[in-house]
Amino acid sequence: MNSSLVGNQSGRPFCLLAISYLETINFCLLEVVVIVFLMVLIISGNIIVIFVFHCAPLLNHHTTSYFIQTMAYADLLVGVSCLVPSLSLLHYPVVLSESLVCQIFGYVVSVLKSVSMASLACISIDRYIAITKPLTYNTLVTPWRLRICILIIWLYSCLVFLPSFHWGKPGYHGDVFQWCANSWSTDPYFTLFIVVMLYAPAAFIVCFTYFNIFRICQQHTKEINERRVRFSSQDGEAGEAQPCPDKRYAMVLFRITSVFYILWLPYIIYFLLESSNVYSNRVASFLTTWLAISNSFCNCVIYSLSNSVFQKGLKRLSGAICASCTRQRVAKDSSTSRSKRSSNGCHV
C-alpha cells in the first residue's frame, strides 16, 4: 500500500487492526484468529465437497461438475495458502525474505481466485449452451473439450498475474506482511490491465448468460403451461403450472455466482480506489480482503443447501464414515473381549 500503513517502530508487532494488539501477547491476535478460522472452514469444507463428488456419481452427470470441482480444488489451495500469513503474524521464522514470500503469496491467491472467477464464467456459458442448443449440446460440450478449457483457465490465470512481480501489487490479501503494506504499491495501469483482462469480461459473461437463461426459461415455462392448459381443458382436467426443467439447476449456479460477486465487490471497489490514490485504510484493506477470501467456504454451503443430489451424496459419505467407525469399534470391542478371555484362561 502506501506510507499510511507504516509499521510501528517501537518493537510492537505490525498489526492491521490496532485493537488486536495486546501488551502481553507479541503477535496480532485478532488477525490470527480471523485467518485461522477461515483457513479451517475453507479447507474442511472443500475437502468435503471433493469427497462428495467422488462418492456421488450422479453429480458427475452434469458437465458443470468439472468446473465446480476445479473451483473446489482452487478454494482448497486458498485455504492451505492462508497458512503463510498465519505463520507470518505469529512471527514464525521463514527461510525466504519477507518481500519474496509476500509477492509469492499475493500472486498465488490472485491466481486461485482468478480460476474461481473464470470457472463461474465457464459454468454460465455451459448452461447457456445447454438451454439454447439442447440438440447439439452433447457434441459441442465433450469431456475432452472441458479438460482443455480447464487447462486454459489455469494457464490464463497464471499469465494474467505474472507481471505483478515487476509491475505492481495484484491485490491486498490483508497486507499482513509489513513489506507488502509499506513497499509494494499498486499501479493504476496494472489495475486497469487486470480489470480489462479478468474482472470486466467475467462479469459481462455472467450477466449476459444468466439474463438470457432466465429469459428463455421464463418463455419455456409460459409455453409449457399454455400447452398443459390447452390439453387439460380438452380432457376436462385442471393443469398445474410446471417450471422450466433447467431453471432450478441454473438457480443453484446463479446463487453461487451472486454470492461470489457480492463478497468480492467491496474488495474490487477498494482495489480501484486505492490504486487511484482516492482512499486508503488498513482496516478496510483487511476486512474487504478476507471477506472476499471467505467466499472459498461459501460455495460449499450454497451447493450443499441447494442441490438435492449433493445432499444425498453428503448423507452417503457421512453414512459410510459412521459405518466405518462402527466396524472399527465393534472390531476393537471383539478383540478386547478375546484378550480378556485369553487372559482369564491363563489364570485357570
Side-chain angles (χ1 to χ4, degrees):
M1 287 184 183
N2 51 34
S3 59
S4 63
L5 300 181
V6 176
N8 197 325
Q9 298 178 356
S10 62
R12 294 182 177 182
F14 173 75
C15 299
L16 288 171
L17 304 177
I19 58 174
S20 65
Y21 178 76
L22 298 175
E23 294 290 343
T24 57
I25 300 177
N26 192 32
F27 61 85
C28 307
L29 179 62
L30 188 56
E31 285 93 332
V32 172
V33 171
V34 171
I35 295 175
V36 171
F37 178 71
L38 286 178
M39 180 179 66
V40 172
L41 288 181
I42 292 170
I43 292 176
S44 58
N46 285 283
I47 286 177
I48 292 173
V49 170
I50 292 169
F51 272 108
V52 169
F53 267 93
H54 284 288
C55 294
L58 288 176
L59 284 171
N60 294 319
H61 177 69
H62 294 283
T63 54
T64 51
S65 66
Y66 285 85
F67 297 112
I68 293 174
Q69 290 183 72
T70 300
M71 290 173 56
Y73 280 108
D75 290 337
L76 176 62
L77 292 175
V78 169
V80 173
S81 66
C82 289
L83 183 63
V84 176
S86 301
L87 295 177
S88 174
L89 289 170
L90 291 170
H91 304 291
Y92 192 85
V94 293
V95 178
L96 302 176
S97 63
E98 185 183 26
S99 60
L100 183 59
V101 173
C102 164
Q103 289 179 310
I104 292 176
F105 173 74
Y107 173 77
V108 169
V109 175
S110 298
V111 168
L112 294 174
K113 299 317 297 180
S114 173
V115 169
S116 296
M117 192 175 294
S119 297
L120 289 172
C122 289
I123 288 174
S124 65
I125 294 173
D126 174 83
R127 292 297 88 200
Y128 179 76
I129 296 174
I131 292 177
T132 57
K133 300 181 184 296
L135 299 178
T136 58
Y137 175 78
N138 290 330
T139 57
L140 291 174
V141 182
T142 62
W144 181 80
R145 289 180 178 176
L146 289 172
R147 293 187 183 97
I148 295 296
C149 184
I150 291 171
L151 179 61
I152 292 174
I153 288 174
W154 281 96
L155 290 176
Y156 183 79
S157 300
C158 292
L159 292 175
V160 165
F161 288 98
L162 195 59
S164 63
F165 288 97
H166 300 286
W167 200 349
K169 189 189 301 182
Y172 297 97
H173 314 296
D175 269 354
V176 294
F177 301 97
Q178 188 170 1
W179 185 89
C180 271
N182 300 335
S183 305
W184 199 19
S185 60
T186 55
D187 187 283
Y189 295 104
F190 184 52
T191 302
L192 180 63
F193 172 78
I194 294 175
V195 170
V196 171
M197 298 299 292
L198 180 63
Y199 295 158
F204 174 78
I205 290 171
V206 167
C207 292
F208 174 81
T209 52
Y210 279 113
F211 173 79
N212 285 279
I213 285 171
F214 290 119
R215 181 179 59 83
I216 294 170
C217 282
Q218 187 176 10
Q219 183 179 354
H220 286 180
T221 303
K222 184 178 179 181
E223 293 175 356
I224 292 171
N225 292 336
E226 288 177 354
R227 292 177 184 176
R228 289 181 64 86
V229 170
R230 190 184 309 120
F231 286 111
S232 62
S233 61
Q234 293 176 359
D235 297 335
E237 297 178 357
E240 296 181 357
Q242 295 292 328
C244 175
D246 295 315
K247 187 174 182 179
R248 185 173 181 179
Y249 191 64
M251 278 299 298
V252 176
L253 302 173
F254 179 71
R255 290 190 193 106
I256 293 175
T257 306
S258 300
V259 171
F260 180 91
Y261 280 98
I262 289 172
L263 294 177
W264 274 84
L265 186 60
Y267 169 85
I268 294 173
I269 291 175
Y270 184 83
F271 186 26
L272 296 174
L273 291 176
E274 203 282 335
S275 300
S276 57
N277 295 321
V278 174
Y279 177 75
S280 178
N281 182 274
R282 65 183 187 180
V283 176
S285 169
F286 183 87
L287 295 178
T288 56
T289 296
W290 294 98
L291 177 67
I293 290 178
S294 68
N295 173 258
S296 297
F297 171 72
C298 293
N299 292 340
C300 316
V301 177
I302 296 171
Y303 208 72
S304 60
L305 295 178
S306 304
N307 191 288
S308 58
V309 179
F310 185 90
Q311 292 171 4
K312 292 178 182 178
L314 185 59
K315 290 179 181 178
R316 180 181 175 184
L317 177 62
S318 59
I321 294 174
C322 292
S324 177
C325 294
T326 303
R327 286 195 298 268
Q328 290 179 0
R329 190 181 299 111
V330 170
K332 184 178 180 181
D333 292 340
S334 60
S335 62
T336 303
S337 61
R338 284 196 301 268
S339 63
K340 287 182 178 179
R341 287 197 298 268
S342 62
S343 62
N344 291 334
C346 293
H347 290 288
V348 175

